């Protein structure tokens, strides 16, 4: 979590309001986004956390003279009230109470509403512009971000070293990808595409970086043309001699800060330019409008190409899941033995210790690089916060009477992993087994689903939720997200959830399946595996399992399971035993045989 102890939250908000007053602003839009609209941001860009203390990975605030309206999704409803309590804030669900609607209801005529044009995507800008129009308020782009003006010890921009990503892992050269992108631009009758998403750029150029923890891709921008050439806007300090020498001829370098001015120089009036309206800064659109270019707002071509993994990428992802599975299985055996014994001795295992243990076990596996996100190691009521994070001040004991949840993943040389398991070590809270059984049934329903080509994520979301809905239960997060290839653990555009997402699920895409249930203050349950989409002999699509980690069965109400649900988990565990037993310690092999016995 960002350290704001040197200045209190109230003092920081007061300083921001003073800065807004000097600029003649009545409100300021403060999204968590940086200039790349990513989920994870560098310390330099943690402006929302600095001002409000909210440490989640998604959200925004509208700061006015009277309040700070905070908007977060269902994953953070509990967390935001814990981190941002008191009269300074009002709390809102970002989907049920959209911030633009709040602005339309609360703004006054002639209000001046400030924003940073590098941090607001065009789609968001348009919604706020319509909201302002309804009350005759005005949106004003700021030359500099007002938060930066009141942040005296703001960390510097990240300058992580960039390295080449070998062909043995990527499966295709940057030249091949760029020529395919050029062909796509021609088919779309476009002259250029502007892309600001770090994972897209890293994939296209076959590079990896270290600007943001857990995310092995550099911060940069590109302008790619229908001639196959790419202009890469990147800080010179990130490039060492060996990387410079390996940059292919079709890629030209420009300074990072030259991005917007160079767009004005390289693009002519009337030329057609593609931008992603959800994942690009509105500053890009405004620059193109100034030039007189024709703007094509489309889902990014690189985003779509990257989502369908090639044969080499898929094999690498499968391979790293084998190593990850060993770590998960050793962890489960350790946890099952250690939690009861340590609690009895009066020295219970802590959330943070468990988080460090799974990291230690991964570090022993070949090809491991880093965690793929900050592990969610959560006991008892902490697990009801979907994206809970431990800290030195927040580190609960894992006791036999309290269920525990671990959501954790790794970045390996050959791919990215992400899985969640729920654990219990003794008597469970009332309703836990009923909910756990429903979550498993939901998980099974999607893991075994076959579906026709043209199916999109929102088409199948309810199939997963049905076992929970039957009991009057639900979860306020997506059912599945895309996963990158040694890139972002949350990858666009594929996902499974309630919101409309017009992206076909295609063979070669990798997603999570992760239903859950959360009882505020008591417990949280989630079961998550990664899967790849495959085409079967009859042309239908299906999910092929990637994740191998034991699934607890002691909390299942076996009489509520169908024969197929019992057979699936038995077969899953049988494959796990056959695959992993030779790679496990003798003690873990004995534990695994007992823990995964047929039900």
């Amino acid at each position: 979590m960002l350290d704001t102890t040197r200045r209190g939250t109230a003092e920081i908000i007061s300083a921001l309001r003073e800065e807004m007053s000097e600029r003649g602003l009545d409100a300021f839009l403060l999204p968590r986004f940086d200039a790349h609209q990513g989920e994870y941001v560098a310390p330099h860009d943690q402006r929302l956390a600095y001002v409000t203390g909210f440490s989640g990975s998604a959200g925004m605030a509208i700061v006015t003279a009277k309040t700070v309206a905070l908007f977060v999704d269902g994953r953070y409803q509990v967390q935001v009230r814990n981190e941002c309590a008191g009269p300074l804030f009002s709390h809102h669900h970002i989907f049920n109470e959209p911030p633009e609607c709040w602005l339309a209801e609360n703004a006054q005529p002639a209000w001046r509403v400030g924003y940073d044009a590098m941090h607001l995507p065009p789609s968001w800008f348009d919604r706020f512009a319509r909201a302002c129009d309804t009350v005759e308020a005005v949106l004003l782009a700021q030359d500099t971000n007002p938060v930066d003006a009141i942040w005296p010890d703001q960390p510097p921009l990240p300058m992580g070293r960039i390295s080449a990503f070998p062909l043995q892992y990527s499966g295709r050269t940057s030249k091949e990808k760029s020529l395919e992108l050029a062909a796509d631009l021609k088919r779309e009758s476009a002259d250029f595409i502007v892309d600001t998403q770090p994972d897209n750029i890293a994939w296209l150029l076959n590079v990896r970086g270290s600007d943001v923890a857990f995310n092995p891709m550099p911060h940069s921008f590109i302008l790619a043309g229908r001639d196959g050439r790419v202009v890469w806007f990147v800080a010179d300090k990130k490039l060492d001699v060996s990387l410079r020498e390996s940059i292919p001829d079709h890629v030209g370098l420009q300074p990072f800060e030259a991005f917007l001015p160079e767009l004005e120089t390289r693009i002519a009036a009337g030329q057609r330019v593609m931008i992603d309206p959800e994942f690009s800064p509105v500053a890009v659109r405004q620059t193109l409008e100034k030039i007189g270019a024709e703007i094509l707002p489309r889902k990014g071509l690189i985003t779509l190409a990257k989502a369908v993994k090639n044969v080499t990428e898929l094999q690498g992802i499968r391979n790293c899941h084998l190593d990850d599975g060993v770590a998960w299985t050793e962890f489960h055996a350790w946890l099952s033995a250690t939690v009861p014994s340590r609690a009895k001795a009066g020295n219970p295992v802590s959330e943070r210790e468990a988080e460090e243990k799974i990291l230690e076990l991964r570090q022993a596996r070949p090809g491991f690089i880093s965690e793929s996100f900050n592990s969610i190691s959560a006991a008892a009521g902490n697990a009801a916060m979907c994206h809970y994070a431990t800290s030195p001040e927040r580190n609960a004991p894992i006791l036999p009477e309290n269920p525990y949840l671990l959501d954790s993943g790794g970045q390996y040389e050959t791919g990215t992993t992400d899985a969640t398991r729920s654990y219990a070590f003794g008597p469970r809270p009332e309703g836990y087994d009923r909910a756990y059984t429903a979550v498993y049934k939901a998980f099974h329903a999607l893991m075994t689903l076959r579906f026709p080509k043209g199916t999109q994520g929102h088409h199948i979301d309810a199939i997963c939720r049905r076992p929970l809905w039957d009991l009057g239960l639900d979860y306020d997060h997506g059912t599945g997200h895309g996963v990158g290839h040694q890139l972002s653990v949350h990858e666009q555009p594929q996902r499974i959830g309630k919101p409309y997402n017009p992206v076909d699920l295609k063979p070669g895409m990798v997603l999570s399946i992760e239903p859950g249930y959360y009882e505020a203050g008591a417990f949280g349950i989630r079961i998550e595996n990664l899967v790849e989409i495959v085409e079967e002999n009859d042309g239908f699509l299906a999910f092929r399992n990637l994740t191998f980690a034991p699934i607890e069965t002691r909390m299942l109400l076996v009489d509520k399971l169908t024969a197929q649900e019992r057979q699936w988990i038995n077969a899953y565990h049988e494959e796990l035993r056959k695959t992993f037993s030779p790679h496990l310690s003798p003690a873990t092999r004995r534990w695994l045989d007992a823990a995964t016995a047929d039900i």
Side-chain angles (χ1 to χ4, degrees):
M1 187 192 304
L2 190 72
D3 181 11
T4 60
T5 56
R6 280 171 289 180
R7 297 178 76 187
T9 300
E11 182 184 353
I12 292 170
I13 292 172
S14 177
L16 179 57
R17 284 173 172 153
E18 184 176 342
E19 178 68 21
M20 290 165 53
S21 178
E22 291 178 3
R23 297 181 182 216
L25 298 178
D26 300 287
F28 181 68
L29 307 180
L30 180 57
R32 190 177 182 276
F33 293 134
D34 59 11
H36 310 275
Q37 284 70 51
E39 179 178 7
Y40 294 99
V41 298
H44 171 85
D45 293 304
Q46 292 182 13
R47 295 175 180 86
L48 182 63
Y50 176 72
V51 171
T52 68
F54 172 63
S55 64
S57 65
M60 80 164 297
I62 301 178
V63 183
T64 72
K66 293 183 178 179
T67 191
V68 177
L70 271 168
F71 302 84
V72 300
D73 63 36
R75 296 171 296 172
Y76 296 114
Q77 290 298 309
V78 176
Q79 180 177 329
V80 74
R81 285 166 171 79
N82 290 340
E83 293 181 338
C84 309
L88 288 172
F89 303 101
S90 63
H91 305 104
H92 310 270
H93 194 294
I94 199 166
F95 298 122
N96 299 341
E97 305 171 81
E100 64 271 17
C101 294
W102 185 93
L103 187 63
E105 293 171 0
N106 289 273
Q108 301 297 312
W111 258 26
R112 295 162 57 88
V113 180
Y115 70 98
D116 187 326
M118 286 300 291
H119 298 166
L120 206 63
S123 60
W124 287 46
F125 173 88
D126 291 342
R127 293 197 293 269
F128 284 115
R130 288 192 293 270
C132 286
D133 286 346
T134 63
V135 293
E136 298 182 339
V138 61
L139 276 176
L140 295 173
Q142 301 300 291
D143 293 334
T144 59
N145 194 299
V147 176
D148 298 352
I150 57 102
W151 193 352
D153 54 352
Q154 183 179 22
L157 281 166
M159 289 293 161
R161 186 179 66 86
I162 301 175
S163 59
F165 191 58
L167 184 61
Q168 71 185 89
Y169 300 142
S170 68
R172 299 179 66 203
T173 67
S174 174
K175 182 71 171 180
E176 290 171 327
K177 296 176 184 178
S178 298
L179 289 175
E180 183 178 283
L181 175 60
D184 290 340
L185 287 170
K186 291 174 184 174
R187 278 194 293 272
E188 296 284 344
S189 298
D191 297 293
F192 296 102
I193 182 170
V194 177
D195 206 310
T196 62
Q197 294 180 69
D199 58 338
N200 283 356
I201 298 167
W203 176 85
L204 181 71
L205 301 181
N206 281 348
V207 296
R208 295 297 185 265
S210 53
D211 282 331
V212 179
F214 317 123
N215 291 260
M217 53 261 191
H219 281 177
S220 61
F221 309 114
I222 61 166
L223 173 67
R226 60 190 295 161
D227 59 359
R229 298 194 61 78
V230 178
V231 183
W232 187 18
F233 300 91
V234 60
D236 185 71
K237 291 180 180 179
K238 299 180 183 182
L239 309 176
D240 61 23
V241 175
S242 61
L243 181 65
R244 284 181 180 280
E245 292 175 349
S246 68
I247 293 173
D249 292 341
H250 72 285
V251 178
L253 296 176
Q254 286 289 329
F256 182 78
E257 61 273 13
F259 175 52
L260 293 179
E262 281 292 315
L263 293 185
E264 294 189 44
T265 300
R266 293 173 180 271
I267 299 171
Q271 287 190 302
R272 294 163 60 86
V273 185
M274 294 185 70
I275 63 169
D276 190 326
E278 297 288 344
F279 294 98
S280 63
V282 72
V284 171
R285 189 179 73 178
Q286 292 169 345
T287 299
L288 296 175
E289 289 171 341
K290 177 182 175 183
I291 296 167
E294 183 178 349
I295 299 166
L296 306 177
R298 312 271 173 84
K299 180 67 69 177
L301 293 176
I302 305 174
T303 302
L304 294 165
K306 172 175 53 67
V308 178
K309 277 56 177 179
N310 64 44
V311 172
T312 302
E313 291 172 323
L314 286 171
Q315 188 56 53
I317 292 170
R318 296 177 197 128
N319 291 345
C320 74
H321 274 87
L322 297 179
D323 282 305
D324 211 56
V326 173
W328 269 104
T329 306
E330 292 283 1
F331 173 82
H332 198 157
W334 171 84
L335 191 74
S336 296
T338 309
V339 166
S341 63
R342 291 267 299 274
K344 187 175 182 180
N347 178 32
V349 176
S350 71
E351 295 170 328
R352 204 167 182 83
E353 183 181 355
E355 179 181 329
E356 291 167 351
K357 184 65 176 181
I358 188 70
L359 174 59
E360 172 192 318
L361 292 166
R362 283 199 175 100
Q363 288 171 332
R365 306 310 305 164
F368 177 75
I369 299 171
S370 73
E371 297 169 289
S372 57
F373 57 96
N374 193 18
S375 291
I376 301 165
S377 177
N382 289 340
M385 293 182 277
C386 300
H387 277 212
Y388 169 80
T390 66
S391 70
E393 299 78 29
R394 248 185 351 189
N395 185 24
I398 305 173
L399 302 173
E401 62 268 26
N402 292 334
Y404 170 70
L405 179 151
L406 179 66
D407 187 345
S408 186
Q411 296 284 6
Y412 291 80
E413 289 179 348
T414 65
T416 304
T417 70
D418 178 11
T420 307
R421 291 295 183 263
S422 299
Y423 306 92
F425 313 95
R428 276 83 68 188
E430 182 179 356
Y432 185 93
D433 289 6
R434 176 174 177 261
Y436 184 86
T437 302
V439 169
Y440 168 70
K441 291 170 76 73
F443 173 79
H444 172 270
L446 216 52
M447 289 292 294
T448 58
L449 183 69
R450 281 165 37 88
F451 49 97
K453 292 177 181 178
T455 297
Q456 300 173 346
H458 55 280
H459 295 154
I460 60 176
D461 180 71
I463 294 171
C464 187
R465 294 178 190 266
R466 169 72 188 272
L468 288 148
W469 287 354
D470 284 345
L471 302 180
L473 308 178
D474 200 2
Y475 49 94
D476 196 1
H477 59 71
T479 294
H481 58 81
V483 177
H485 176 244
Q486 208 210 108
L487 289 170
S488 177
V489 74
H490 288 171
E491 180 180 79
Q492 297 293 333
Q494 68 274 26
R495 62 179 182 267
I496 303 170
K498 293 178 182 178
Y500 173 67
N501 184 41
V503 175
D504 289 355
L505 300 177
K506 296 180 178 181
M509 287 181 170
V510 174
L511 299 103
S512 69
I513 292 176
E514 50 179 306
Y517 177 70
Y518 310 91
E519 192 76 43
F523 59 81
I525 300 165
R526 188 159 65 251
I527 302 173
E528 176 188 15
N529 277 24
L530 298 193
V531 294
E532 61 174 286
I533 300 176
V534 297
E535 183 175 347
E536 301 199 317
N537 292 335
D538 61 359
F540 262 58
L541 305 182
F543 296 119
R544 176 188 290 167
N545 177 65
L546 288 167
T547 302
F548 284 101
I551 299 172
E552 284 274 10
T553 59
R554 75 183 83 181
M555 301 93 84
L556 289 173
L557 301 176
V558 179
D559 61 327
K560 301 296 184 183
L561 301 180
T562 66
Q564 291 81 6
E565 290 163 344
R566 292 194 301 271
Q567 290 165 4
W568 187 92
I569 197 168
N570 289 339
Y572 178 80
H573 282 148
E574 181 181 9
E575 185 176 2
L576 193 155
R577 290 191 299 270
K578 288 180 178 178
T579 303
F580 291 100
S581 288
H583 307 286
L584 301 173
S585 64
T588 298
R589 281 200 299 270
R590 291 191 295 271
W591 170 85
L592 183 64
D593 288 342
T596 61
D598 285 356
I599 61 172

